[in-house]
Amino acid sequence: MYARIAGTGSYLPSRVVSNADLERLVDTSDEWIHSRTGIRQRHMAAEGETTGDLAFHAATAALQAAGVEAAEIDLIVLGTTTPDLIFPSTACLLQHRLGANGCAAFDVNAACSGFVYALGVANAMVRGGQSKKALVVGAETLTRMLDWGDRSTCVLFGDGAGAVVLEPSEEPGIITTKLHADGGYKHLLYNPVGVSVGFKPGEDNAGVRVLMSGSEVFKVAVKTLDRIVGETLEAAGMHESQVDWLIPHQANLRIIEATAKRLGLPMERVIVTVDRHGNTSSGSVPLALDEAVRSGRVQRGQNLLLEAFGGGFTWASALIRY
Ligand code: ACO
């Protein structure tokens, strides 16, 4: 038994913030941001618009594409590092809003690898017979935890969400998923605020920000993604040439190009959204997937290689016959 993707959906908040808008906030330029990252613009959630709101719109679109009613869903796994609340999980809030009450629902926090991790978990549950209709979501409002005075991070991120519905199938489907982490790299990319280390009430969330050693993250990401795409193809018994589409985490165009080169794939066979979305963390891979499906580029029967890398470090991949 395999799990197959029955439908995809995504959602971007309506407000667009261009590089020129950021030039008015910090000492940066469209030329610097575009040449180092490939980013031209990103979407930003409106005041009061939450990760759960973005997830709801993406999930509704995925359910519609799959022809599945919310009441049929028996599992929700949601990747996020920017939950609406500490608890209940954003998956529980989404479940109630969709009207899927009673099914299993939980969040996965694997930073930018959140969606691919969630997909790996849901895939195992569908293959194991524990779910017949699983909703997998990646949703983030990363712009809520940025220091808007720090040019080294605030230009990189955006908000957005994507979702897929999985169902059992005798044919693949998801061929293999690989999930990894190495907590020894925490110091290179993290947010120092947490419950157990102690909030600082009255400081207006001053500590809630992404701290990142950009060039070190870059180097480890390129090497690690190089390794995981090799490992994934080997596990599936497939050759690079059998990959129809690379659907990578959208953090930096130069990291994406390095992975494509490793696979021998021309950029025409790589889904790129980072120019318009920025890095939407857990939202990035399912947003790119949904855009590729809806534009008609990704077709049924094609082989898709999804990969992601994020804080933790975490890294993950999925090889899918769509
Ligand atoms: N505008 C103008 N100049 C800037 C900006 C900016 N926005 N940001 C930094 N600079 C300056 C720096 O101060 C530095 O100046 P200096 O040489 O005078 O000291 C110079 O640009 C070069 O800085 P670097 O950090 O070395 O630049 P680099 O080429 O490495 O690019 C970047 C930085 C874009 C952050 C890159 O390292 C990167 O993309 N890293 C990976 C980030 C990533 O992938 N994160 C993914 C995971 S995110 C998650 O999990 C939440």
Side-chain angles (χ1 to χ4, degrees), residues 26-29 32-33 36-37 81 111-113 142 151-153 155-157 189 210 212-218 221 249 251-252 254-255 279 281 309-311:
V26 285
D27 180 15
T28 191
S29 65
W32 191 96
I33 300 169
R36 303 283 177 134
T37 70
T81 188
C112 295
S113 309
L142 245 292
R151 68 178 182 173
S152 69
T153 52
V155 303
L156 302 175
F157 297 96
L189 179 57
V210 175
M212 181 172 75
S213 305
S215 56
E216 274 97 320
V217 175
F218 188 98
H249 174 46
N252 183 309
R254 291 184 293 146
I255 298 177
N279 180 349
S281 188
F309 181 89

Side-chain angles (χ1 to χ4, degrees), residues 290-306:
D290 184 52
E291 194 178 288
V293 167
R294 284 173 196 264
S295 68
R297 280 172 292 171
V298 164
Q299 299 280 330
R300 287 285 175 196
Q302 289 185 327
N303 294 322
L304 318 180
L305 180 53
L306 279 49

Side-chain angles (χ1 to χ4, degrees), residues 110-123:
C112 295
S113 309
F115 172 79
V116 187
Y117 257 68
L119 191 69
V121 171
N123 175 48

